[in-house]
Amino acid sequence: MWIDDIAANSINHSNPAPLHSQLSGILRANIADGSLPPGSQLPTENELQDKFGISRSVVRQALASLSADGLIQRGRGRGSVVAPHVEHHRHVQRMPGLSAQISSTAAPVSTEVLALGPGTDARAAAALGTADLLELRRRRSTEGETIAVIQTWLPLALAGSLRADDLTDASLHAILRTRFGVPVTAGRRQVRAIPASERLARELAVAVGSPLLLLEGTSLDDHGTPVEYFSTWHRGDRVVFDVDVVSDGQARLADAPPTAGAGVGSGSPPSTAAERVRQLAAELESLADEL
């Protein structure tokens, strides 16, 4: 049994951290690393008491903490078992946002606006080419559980008329397209892992220092103009990033810049699929003129 591999002195009475916090930390770590997969039976209260030399009240506090966080399920007569692990998947290289991707495969995603108004941010100003910015902060939840917080910056001249009511349980990209005539069609994304700050821990209902997945970047409209700069913090225990991969040769072709002079009559093959589409469009236009 996994608990046999844990030293009895892993819970240290001289440690300033509360004993119940030390025990819940051990159980959390084993749930996180797969030692206790979903459906696994936890040791009984008596077994935990005997193993670590702690009181029943300490054990019950630790189990109550795990239950409150949705990590275990407790029932009279059946003890405690590891709860089913809920994961929400999103493709980080695709343009549809979090709500559109998750709502298509799971329960609807609700959106709560936490802040909306003029603001300042040096990185957003550099990315968008203007210091006149609209700041938008939203919290995304599904099935009654918070999964992400999104901080977005938009040019004030573009979206200054946005109201919080417009964005409650709604997609920002859909509003930009339908109300402002600005389709979001491309962008650049970066992903990094960070610990939850006090503010993010409070907003995401996780412990301070919990692992988060940060997705940030700039979005462009169909003319290549930057229209959005954002940072999205996802709960690392609830959201999984999926990435489509291709062979190295295909990746080099997709990443190659358009060849100078490529096009109709250039004699050079198009270097990307997008360039080929533009070439075919030009050929069709030329054919239409001839007809």
mmCIF file of all heavy atoms in Angstrom, residues 109-145:
data_model
loop_
_atom_site.group_PDB
_atom_site.id
_atom_site.type_symbol
_atom_site.label_atom_id
_atom_site.label_comp_id
_atom_site.label_asym_id
_atom_site.label_seq_id
_atom_site.Cartn_x
_atom_site.Cartn_y
_atom_site.Cartn_z
ATOM 1 N N VAL A 109 -19.972 27.163 -19.920
ATOM 2 C CA VAL A 109 -19.059 27.962 -19.117
ATOM 3 C C VAL A 109 -19.727 29.292 -18.796
ATOM 4 O O VAL A 109 -20.204 29.984 -19.697
ATOM 5 C CB VAL A 109 -17.733 28.204 -19.863
ATOM 6 C CG1 VAL A 109 -16.828 29.134 -19.069
ATOM 7 C CG2 VAL A 109 -17.024 26.878 -20.120
ATOM 8 N N SER A 110 -19.780 29.647 -17.524
ATOM 9 C CA SER A 110 -20.345 30.937 -17.111
ATOM 10 C C SER A 110 -19.221 31.941 -16.936
ATOM 11 O O SER A 110 -18.084 31.583 -16.627
ATOM 12 C CB SER A 110 -21.137 30.792 -15.806
ATOM 13 O OG SER A 110 -20.294 30.364 -14.753
ATOM 14 N N THR A 111 -19.547 33.205 -17.139
ATOM 15 C CA THR A 111 -18.556 34.285 -17.056
ATOM 16 C C THR A 111 -19.032 35.363 -16.100
ATOM 17 O O THR A 111 -20.144 35.864 -16.226
ATOM 18 C CB THR A 111 -18.319 34.911 -18.438
ATOM 19 O OG1 THR A 111 -17.932 33.902 -19.363
ATOM 20 C CG2 THR A 111 -17.234 35.984 -18.357
ATOM 21 N N GLU A 112 -18.166 35.704 -15.166
ATOM 22 C CA GLU A 112 -18.436 36.781 -14.214
ATOM 23 C C GLU A 112 -17.431 37.902 -14.445
ATOM 24 O O GLU A 112 -16.225 37.659 -14.470
ATOM 25 C CB GLU A 112 -18.313 36.260 -12.787
ATOM 26 C CG GLU A 112 -18.474 37.311 -11.709
ATOM 27 C CD GLU A 112 -18.124 36.785 -10.329
ATOM 28 O OE1 GLU A 112 -17.729 35.602 -10.213
ATOM 29 O OE2 GLU A 112 -18.233 37.566 -9.368
ATOM 30 N N VAL A 113 -17.912 39.123 -14.637
ATOM 31 C CA VAL A 113 -17.030 40.262 -14.844
ATOM 32 C C VAL A 113 -16.587 40.791 -13.485
ATOM 33 O O VAL A 113 -17.404 41.207 -12.662
ATOM 34 C CB VAL A 113 -17.739 41.372 -15.646
ATOM 35 C CG1 VAL A 113 -16.824 42.584 -15.796
ATOM 36 C CG2 VAL A 113 -18.151 40.847 -17.020
ATOM 37 N N LEU A 114 -15.281 40.784 -13.246
ATOM 38 C CA LEU A 114 -14.724 41.249 -11.978
ATOM 39 C C LEU A 114 -14.325 42.720 -12.034
ATOM 40 O O LEU A 114 -14.352 43.410 -11.016
ATOM 41 C CB LEU A 114 -13.500 40.403 -11.605
ATOM 42 C CG LEU A 114 -13.723 38.892 -11.480
ATOM 43 C CD1 LEU A 114 -12.397 38.191 -11.176
ATOM 44 C CD2 LEU A 114 -14.750 38.579 -10.408
ATOM 45 N N ALA A 115 -13.919 43.187 -13.216
ATOM 46 C CA ALA A 115 -13.513 44.593 -13.372
ATOM 47 C C ALA A 115 -13.649 44.987 -14.835
ATOM 48 O O ALA A 115 -13.397 44.183 -15.732
ATOM 49 C CB ALA A 115 -12.077 44.797 -12.910
ATOM 50 N N LEU A 116 -14.059 46.235 -15.061
ATOM 51 C CA LEU A 116 -14.175 46.766 -16.416
ATOM 52 C C LEU A 116 -14.064 48.283 -16.360
ATOM 53 O O LEU A 116 -14.825 48.945 -15.650
ATOM 54 C CB LEU A 116 -15.513 46.366 -17.049
ATOM 55 C CG LEU A 116 -15.791 46.923 -18.439
ATOM 56 C CD1 LEU A 116 -14.795 46.377 -19.456
ATOM 57 C CD2 LEU A 116 -17.217 46.603 -18.883
ATOM 58 N N GLY A 117 -13.094 48.829 -17.095
ATOM 59 C CA GLY A 117 -12.922 50.274 -17.123
ATOM 60 C C GLY A 117 -11.574 50.653 -17.702
ATOM 61 O O GLY A 117 -10.729 49.792 -17.958
ATOM 62 N N PRO A 118 -11.340 51.946 -17.919
ATOM 63 C CA PRO A 118 -10.043 52.394 -18.435
ATOM 64 C C PRO A 118 -8.923 51.998 -17.484
ATOM 65 O O PRO A 118 -9.092 51.976 -16.265
ATOM 66 C CB PRO A 118 -10.203 53.921 -18.495
ATOM 67 C CG PRO A 118 -11.684 54.146 -18.564
ATOM 68 C CD PRO A 118 -12.299 53.057 -17.740
ATOM 69 N N GLY A 119 -7.772 51.651 -18.062
ATOM 70 C CA GLY A 119 -6.645 51.258 -17.233
ATOM 71 C C GLY A 119 -5.337 51.459 -17.968
ATOM 72 O O GLY A 119 -5.316 51.892 -19.126
ATOM 73 N N THR A 120 -4.247 51.129 -17.295
ATOM 74 C CA THR A 120 -2.918 51.281 -17.892
ATOM 75 C C THR A 120 -2.124 50.002 -17.682
ATOM 76 O O THR A 120 -2.249 49.334 -16.646
ATOM 77 C CB THR A 120 -2.149 52.454 -17.263
ATOM 78 O OG1 THR A 120 -2.033 52.238 -15.847
ATOM 79 C CG2 THR A 120 -2.877 53.768 -17.513
ATOM 80 N N ASP A 121 -1.319 49.653 -18.663
ATOM 81 C CA ASP A 121 -0.437 48.498 -18.564
ATOM 82 C C ASP A 121 0.624 48.643 -19.643
ATOM 83 O O ASP A 121 0.302 48.773 -20.835
ATOM 84 C CB ASP A 121 -1.213 47.194 -18.765
ATOM 85 C CG ASP A 121 -0.336 45.971 -18.580
ATOM 86 O OD1 ASP A 121 -0.182 45.517 -17.440
ATOM 87 O OD2 ASP A 121 0.215 45.489 -19.600
ATOM 88 N N ALA A 122 1.883 48.618 -19.240
ATOM 89 C CA ALA A 122 2.969 48.878 -20.174
ATOM 90 C C ALA A 122 3.068 47.806 -21.253
ATOM 91 O O ALA A 122 3.263 48.113 -22.433
ATOM 92 C CB ALA A 122 4.295 48.979 -19.405
ATOM 93 N N ARG A 123 2.944 46.538 -20.862
ATOM 94 C CA ARG A 123 3.069 45.468 -21.852
ATOM 95 C C ARG A 123 1.918 45.494 -22.851
ATOM 96 O O ARG A 123 2.114 45.295 -24.051
ATOM 97 C CB ARG A 123 3.132 44.104 -21.163
ATOM 98 C CG ARG A 123 4.395 43.863 -20.355
ATOM 99 C CD ARG A 123 4.577 42.390 -20.052
ATOM 100 N NE ARG A 123 3.397 41.834 -19.395
ATOM 101 C CZ ARG A 123 3.184 40.518 -19.229
ATOM 102 N NH1 ARG A 123 4.061 39.651 -19.690
ATOM 103 N NH2 ARG A 123 2.111 40.090 -18.608
ATOM 104 N N ALA A 124 0.715 45.738 -22.348
ATOM 105 C CA ALA A 124 -0.440 45.798 -23.240
ATOM 106 C C ALA A 124 -0.329 46.992 -24.191
ATOM 107 O O ALA A 124 -0.661 46.892 -25.380
ATOM 108 C CB ALA A 124 -1.725 45.894 -22.427
ATOM 109 N N ALA A 125 0.149 48.136 -23.672
ATOM 110 C CA ALA A 125 0.302 49.327 -24.511
ATOM 111 C C ALA A 125 1.303 49.067 -25.628
ATOM 112 O O ALA A 125 1.099 49.469 -26.782
ATOM 113 C CB ALA A 125 0.742 50.508 -23.660
ATOM 114 N N ALA A 126 2.399 48.374 -25.308
ATOM 115 C CA ALA A 126 3.407 48.070 -26.324
ATOM 116 C C ALA A 126 2.845 47.107 -27.367
ATOM 117 O O ALA A 126 3.106 47.245 -28.568
ATOM 118 C CB ALA A 126 4.645 47.476 -25.663
ATOM 119 N N ALA A 127 2.058 46.119 -26.921
ATOM 120 C CA ALA A 127 1.509 45.124 -27.848
ATOM 121 C C ALA A 127 0.426 45.708 -28.737
ATOM 122 O O ALA A 127 0.326 45.353 -29.918
ATOM 123 C CB ALA A 127 0.957 43.942 -27.063
ATOM 124 N N LEU A 128 -0.384 46.629 -28.202
ATOM 125 C CA LEU A 128 -1.521 47.161 -28.939
ATOM 126 C C LEU A 128 -1.230 48.495 -29.622
ATOM 127 O O LEU A 128 -2.060 48.982 -30.401
ATOM 128 C CB LEU A 128 -2.721 47.313 -27.995
ATOM 129 C CG LEU A 128 -3.228 46.006 -27.359
ATOM 130 C CD1 LEU A 128 -4.326 46.288 -26.342
ATOM 131 C CD2 LEU A 128 -3.728 45.041 -28.430
ATOM 132 N N GLY A 129 -0.090 49.080 -29.312
ATOM 133 C CA GLY A 129 0.284 50.332 -29.965
ATOM 134 C C GLY A 129 -0.466 51.544 -29.476
ATOM 135 O O GLY A 129 -0.544 52.562 -30.164
ATOM 136 N N THR A 130 -1.034 51.480 -28.265
ATOM 137 C CA THR A 130 -1.737 52.625 -27.688
ATOM 138 C C THR A 130 -1.742 52.499 -26.171
ATOM 139 O O THR A 130 -1.799 51.388 -25.628
ATOM 140 C CB THR A 130 -3.187 52.721 -28.201
ATOM 141 O OG1 THR A 130 -3.854 53.819 -27.548
ATOM 142 C CG2 THR A 130 -3.965 51.444 -27.907
ATOM 143 N N ALA A 131 -1.682 53.652 -25.494
ATOM 144 C CA ALA A 131 -1.741 53.669 -24.036
ATOM 145 C C ALA A 131 -3.162 53.890 -23.535
ATOM 146 O O ALA A 131 -3.425 53.809 -22.338
ATOM 147 C CB ALA A 131 -0.828 54.762 -23.485
ATOM 148 N N ASP A 132 -4.100 54.172 -24.459
ATOM 149 C CA ASP A 132 -5.505 54.367 -24.094
ATOM 150 C C ASP A 132 -6.199 53.008 -24.127
ATOM 151 O O ASP A 132 -6.624 52.523 -25.182
ATOM 152 C CB ASP A 132 -6.189 55.335 -25.056
ATOM 153 C CG ASP A 132 -5.586 56.732 -24.993
ATOM 154 O OD1 ASP A 132 -5.211 57.147 -23.870
ATOM 155 O OD2 ASP A 132 -5.473 57.384 -26.042
ATOM 156 N N LEU A 133 -6.297 52.386 -22.953
ATOM 157 C CA LEU A 133 -6.710 50.986 -22.883
ATOM 158 C C LEU A 133 -7.966 50.793 -22.046
ATOM 159 O O LEU A 133 -8.245 51.546 -21.113
ATOM 160 C CB LEU A 133 -5.584 50.148 -22.270
ATOM 161 C CG LEU A 133 -4.239 50.164 -23.000
ATOM 162 C CD1 LEU A 133 -3.185 49.475 -22.148
ATOM 163 C CD2 LEU A 133 -4.368 49.498 -24.360
ATOM 164 N N LEU A 134 -8.706 49.743 -22.396
ATOM 165 C CA LEU A 134 -9.824 49.273 -21.594
ATOM 166 C C LEU A 134 -9.382 48.003 -20.881
ATOM 167 O O LEU A 134 -8.909 47.056 -21.522
ATOM 168 C CB LEU A 134 -11.042 48.977 -22.485
ATOM 169 C CG LEU A 134 -12.289 48.462 -21.750
ATOM 170 C CD1 LEU A 134 -12.910 49.595 -20.926
ATOM 171 C CD2 LEU A 134 -13.307 47.897 -22.742
ATOM 172 N N GLU A 135 -9.517 47.995 -19.565
ATOM 173 C CA GLU A 135 -9.123 46.836 -18.765
ATOM 174 C C GLU A 135 -10.355 45.993 -18.461
ATOM 175 O O GLU A 135 -11.383 46.505 -18.016
ATOM 176 C CB GLU A 135 -8.469 47.282 -17.456
ATOM 177 C CG GLU A 135 -8.132 46.143 -16.515
ATOM 178 C CD GLU A 135 -7.633 46.638 -15.168
ATOM 179 O OE1 GLU A 135 -7.590 47.863 -14.971
ATOM 180 O OE2 GLU A 135 -7.294 45.789 -14.311
ATOM 181 N N LEU A 136 -10.228 44.692 -18.685
ATOM 182 C CA LEU A 136 -11.341 43.768 -18.445
ATOM 183 C C LEU A 136 -10.807 42.551 -17.695
ATOM 184 O O LEU A 136 -9.845 41.925 -18.130
ATOM 185 C CB LEU A 136 -11.961 43.332 -19.782
ATOM 186 C CG LEU A 136 -12.958 42.179 -19.761
ATOM 187 C CD1 LEU A 136 -14.181 42.529 -18.920
ATOM 188 C CD2 LEU A 136 -13.375 41.809 -21.189
ATOM 189 N N ARG A 137 -11.418 42.231 -16.567
ATOM 190 C CA ARG A 137 -11.023 41.046 -15.791
ATOM 191 C C ARG A 137 -12.265 40.189 -15.569
ATOM 192 O O ARG A 137 -13.279 40.682 -15.057
ATOM 193 C CB ARG A 137 -10.392 41.439 -14.454
ATOM 194 C CG ARG A 137 -9.661 40.271 -13.750
ATOM 195 C CD ARG A 137 -8.949 40.764 -12.503
ATOM 196 N NE ARG A 137 -8.167 39.733 -11.826
ATOM 197 C CZ ARG A 137 -6.890 39.470 -12.071
ATOM 198 N NH1 ARG A 137 -6.239 40.162 -12.990
ATOM 199 N NH2 ARG A 137 -6.255 38.516 -11.407
ATOM 200 N N ARG A 138 -12.178 38.913 -15.957
ATOM 201 C CA ARG A 138 -13.319 38.012 -15.862
ATOM 202 C C ARG A 138 -12.932 36.704 -15.167
ATOM 203 O O ARG A 138 -11.777 36.310 -15.183
ATOM 204 C CB ARG A 138 -13.848 37.669 -17.261
ATOM 205 C CG ARG A 138 -14.448 38.860 -18.003
ATOM 206 C CD ARG A 138 -14.635 38.533 -19.476
ATOM 207 N NE ARG A 138 -13.354 38.413 -20.159
ATOM 208 C CZ ARG A 138 -13.187 37.847 -21.351
ATOM 209 N NH1 ARG A 138 -14.219 37.303 -21.967
ATOM 210 N NH2 ARG A 138 -11.994 37.793 -21.903
ATOM 211 N N ARG A 139 -13.961 36.055 -14.595
ATOM 212 C CA ARG A 139 -13.760 34.747 -13.972
ATOM 213 C C ARG A 139 -14.667 33.752 -14.687
ATOM 214 O O ARG A 139 -15.851 33.993 -14.883
ATOM 215 C CB ARG A 139 -14.099 34.797 -12.480
ATOM 216 C CG ARG A 139 -13.979 33.458 -11.774
ATOM 217 C CD ARG A 139 -13.891 33.621 -10.266
ATOM 218 N NE ARG A 139 -14.898 34.528 -9.739
ATOM 219 C CZ ARG A 139 -14.785 35.166 -8.572
ATOM 220 N NH1 ARG A 139 -13.695 35.011 -7.842
ATOM 221 N NH2 ARG A 139 -15.742 35.966 -8.148
ATOM 222 N N ARG A 140 -14.054 32.600 -15.092
ATOM 223 C CA ARG A 140 -14.794 31.579 -15.820
ATOM 224 C C ARG A 140 -15.020 30.375 -14.918
ATOM 225 O O ARG A 140 -14.097 29.921 -14.231
ATOM 226 C CB ARG A 140 -14.027 31.157 -17.070
ATOM 227 C CG ARG A 140 -14.011 32.233 -18.168
ATOM 228 C CD ARG A 140 -15.302 32.182 -18.948
ATOM 229 N NE ARG A 140 -15.496 33.295 -19.842
ATOM 230 C CZ ARG A 140 -14.937 33.420 -21.042
ATOM 231 N NH1 ARG A 140 -14.062 32.546 -21.465
ATOM 232 N NH2 ARG A 140 -15.262 34.432 -21.807
ATOM 233 N N SER A 141 -16.259 29.837 -14.959
ATOM 234 C CA SER A 141 -16.612 28.679 -14.142
ATOM 235 C C SER A 141 -17.435 27.707 -14.968
ATOM 236 O O SER A 141 -18.078 28.086 -15.955
ATOM 237 C CB SER A 141 -17.435 29.105 -12.914
ATOM 238 O OG SER A 141 -16.755 30.076 -12.150
ATOM 239 N N THR A 142 -17.391 26.442 -14.579
ATOM 240 C CA THR A 142 -18.244 25.435 -15.194
ATOM 241 C C THR A 142 -18.626 24.418 -14.142
ATOM 242 O O THR A 142 -17.815 24.089 -13.267
ATOM 243 C CB THR A 142 -17.546 24.747 -16.388
ATOM 244 O OG1 THR A 142 -18.456 23.834 -17.015
ATOM 245 C CG2 THR A 142 -16.308 23.991 -15.963
ATOM 246 N N GLU A 143 -19.869 23.965 -14.192
ATOM 247 C CA GLU A 143 -20.395 23.009 -13.223
ATOM 248 C C GLU A 143 -20.183 23.489 -11.792
ATOM 249 O O GLU A 143 -19.878 22.709 -10.891
ATOM 250 C CB GLU A 143 -19.761 21.626 -13.439
ATOM 251 C CG GLU A 143 -20.066 21.042 -14.819
ATOM 252 C CD GLU A 143 -19.421 19.705 -15.062
ATOM 253 O OE1 GLU A 143 -18.185 19.610 -14.841
ATOM 254 O OE2 GLU A 143 -20.127 18.782 -15.478
ATOM 255 N N GLY A 144 -20.334 24.811 -11.600
ATOM 256 C CA GLY A 144 -20.232 25.393 -10.270
ATOM 257 C C GLY A 144 -18.832 25.536 -9.735
ATOM 258 O O GLY A 144 -18.649 25.868 -8.558
ATOM 259 N N GLU A 145 -17.808 25.339 -10.576
ATOM 260 C CA GLU A 145 -16.418 25.397 -10.121
ATOM 261 C C GLU A 145 -15.616 26.377 -10.972
ATOM 262 O O GLU A 145 -15.665 26.327 -12.201
ATOM 263 C CB GLU A 145 -15.794 24.005 -10.209
ATOM 264 C CG GLU A 145 -14.383 23.923 -9.673
ATOM 265 C CD GLU A 145 -13.879 22.492 -9.678
ATOM 266 O OE1 GLU A 145 -13.886 21.863 -10.743
ATOM 267 O OE2 GLU A 145 -13.495 22.003 -8.596
#
